[in-house]
Amino acid sequence: MSETGKQRVLILGGRSDIGLAIARRFAADGHPITLAARNAQTLEDDKADIALRNAVEVSVEELDVLDTEAMAAFVAKGAAPPGIVVSVIGVMGDQHENQRVAEQAALVMRTNYEAPALALGLYAELMEAAGEGVLVGVSSVAGDRGRGSNYVYGSAKAGFTAYLSGLRNRLSGKGVHVVTVKPGFVATRMTDGMDLPQRLVAQPEEVAEAIWHAVEKRRDVVYVKPVWRWIMGIIGMLPERVFKKTSL
Amino acid sequence: MTPSVALSGWGRFPTCWTRLAAPRGPTDVKAELSPGGVIARGGGRAYGDSAIGSSRTLDMGRMNRMLAFDYETGTLVAEAGVRLSEIIDVFLPRGFFPFVTPGTKFVSLGGAIAADVHGKNHHKDGSFGAFVEWIDVMGADGEVTRAGPRDNGALFEWTLGGMGLTGIILRAAIRLRPVETAWIKQQTLVAPDLDAALDAFERADEATYSVAWIDCLASGKELGRSLILLGEHASAEDLPPEQRAHPFRTAPRRKRTVPFDAPRFTLNRHTVRAFNAAYWRNGSKREGEALVDWDSYFYPLDAILGWNRIYGRRGFVQFQCVLPLDRARDGLERLLLETSQAGQGSFLAVLKRLGPERGGLSFPMSGYTLALDFPVNRRALALIERLESIAIEHGGRFYLAKDALLGARSLHEADPRAGLFRQMRSERGMNGVFGSRQSDRLLL
């Protein structure tokens, strides 16, 4: 808790455009912030900016989520868990490369499923013991159904979505809330230069706003742009016999 | 691959194609430097083609971090893409306000430096550059130079008012003004004609802020009739007792948005004349003192988001010149006569006393500046050409942040510094890498 009575928000993968937007949104609401990422020292300018604008305390922490041992130590080291932990960990990779190069596919799978699931799982233990806390996992609409153009990434996100669902189920009634966020396309470094239908593209600030709102209102599963719920609903209902012939 | 887009300035004229990239830091900026003409773009509030690159444009909006603030000196270090509106949002509640602000708060820090913008206090405090401690500029070779009044002074002076043509401004340190409240004590003076307006300005020499709205369609004995608005930062004692506990609290202003381009018939000599006459009548009734919040005082037009659309789809141009003090009266009379005869007046014409000039290509000089908006049409463009000639005849010069039309010959005739600037750019190898549609047109 800070002077304003707001809980600390820990952002795993804090360097990403979405991660920084989330930090700014919660800081604007008076929450102290911790950004955890690799090469944390390069986040000093962002730390200064968020602290100066919002008059909140901001810290940056070195964290390589793919180093399981180091990550477990990172989670264990604090006296008490942060009130809110958000995972923005993820990497898209290139589907063609993911198909051909096993190491590349493994990196995508580990980054989108293993690392965020393990991290939030460890924080869930601490929060359950404390009897309170909020966990937010940024997953993806790509996890709603495996598509030929994106299934390595999509399957990892599907795993993460399932993990969050299970976590929410298990922790229901124990004071710990779990939010699953499915942003759809977002205008970030990841999608720079991609030719996307602009009406389906959210800005990082919209994702941050949706997450802030979901935490405040204790929402379970959030699509940032509501149209995605319909799109994925329809894609999900297509019979496999039809779906397999599409190019989505 | 950097996508191509059609870009225009705030006046929505002209529109040009350019490759547009949005760098996140110096490394991204460096990667965009290549022969062919790159220019940085901030808030996009320059009216014409100043912030449209000859081949590439760098949208600096993502480089908008505030890095450090010293409460003792009021010095803020920030990246170039941060807007004045953000600085005000953060620092006014803490007792600081920009020393110099133009008529919109949506300009970026880098843009304010590149255009060396002035405000209602130019006669007293000078231009934006007077409060810049240093700037970091990336040159054609990708190297970053820190320049200030003492170190790399020549680069510093050429960059103030240099319209981004000396390199990419990455960050800067500026001093903010300590203020006790978010309010301005405004005094309205009514000047029935041009002589009265100029007299009022000269008498108000000591006022921190002064600006006049001038009825550019009044003629005959009423030529140059104006409402002169003087302002001082209100101290805590100036506020009504119930507001003193919260001196920075002002009611949020209602934002309006112009939802569509106004059809052309809505803007003609009759509607504009009627608007000007009504504004004059209303304003004259308010003669005297009033307490006005900072937003309404400094940025009346910002409350109408997209106000540039009232001039219709074809856009508008602004004519702004400054005339030296000794020839200002005659020159202004000629400019106003020409404008009122043509009947091509603008909604808001602004007259302002400016203080002494500084080096580089900075616009202001001791004298009077007049700013007029016109919709883009044949008659207005012809009028602007005549106004340019009158300004040049009277020793005037032009504000590049507003310009979309000027010819290279007129610019270089009006302002011999332009030739020196061009020479300096060529000697330092800037002209091969940094260039805008405006610099191509004006041979800068």
Side-chain angles (χ1 to χ4, degrees), chain B residues 85 89 105-106 251-258 294-295 299-306:
Chain B
S85 56
D89 281 349
K105 59 182 177 287
F106 298 121
R253 269 203 302 167
R254 222 172 109 197
K255 296 264 189 301
R256 291 160 202 270
T257 300
V258 178
W294 63 276
D295 208 6
Y299 312 110
L301 283 174
D302 282 349
I304 310 162
L305 301 173

Side-chain angles (χ1 to χ4, degrees), chain A residues 63-76 114-115 118-119 122:
Chain A
L63 174 64
D64 180 356
V65 291
L66 293 177
D67 182 344
T68 308
E69 211 176 304
M71 199 207 23
F74 177 87
V75 175
E114 184 190 302
L118 291 177
L122 290 172

Side-chain angles (χ1 to χ4, degrees), chain A residues 195-217:
Chain A
D195 186 22
L196 301 172
Q198 286 306 310
R199 288 172 55 158
L200 299 181
V201 178
Q203 294 303 311
E205 290 72 26
E206 290 178 74
V207 180
E209 183 66 29
I211 289 176
W212 177 81
H213 190 257
V215 169
E216 287 283 300
K217 302 284 178 198

Side-chain angles (χ1 to χ4, degrees), chain B residues 163-175:
Chain B
M163 302 309 289
L165 298 164
T166 60
I168 307 295
I169 301 169
L170 297 177
R171 47 178 69 180
I174 60 165
R175 243 171 340 116

Side-chain angles (χ1 to χ4, degrees), chain A residues 17 20 24 42-46 48-55 187-190 192-193 203, chain B residues 1 3 22 24-25 28 62 64-69 71 76-77 79 82 86 90-91 94 171:
Chain A
D17 290 335
L20 287 170
R24 285 192 286 266
T42 59
L43 285 169
E44 286 299 324
D45 286 350
D46 294 294
D49 179 60
I50 296 166
L52 197 50
R53 282 179 193 247
N54 305 294
T188 64
R189 199 181 274 279
M190 203 192 255
D192 259 0
Q203 294 303 311
Chain B
M1 190 66 197
R24 286 175 166 81
D28 293 352
R62 281 173 173 164
N64 68 338
R65 292 174 297 189
M66 300 185 192
L67 303 169
F69 187 68
Y71 286 88
L76 171 71
V77 179
E79 290 184 311
V82 71
E86 299 174 85
V90 172
F91 290 104
R94 303 179 200 178
R171 47 178 69 180

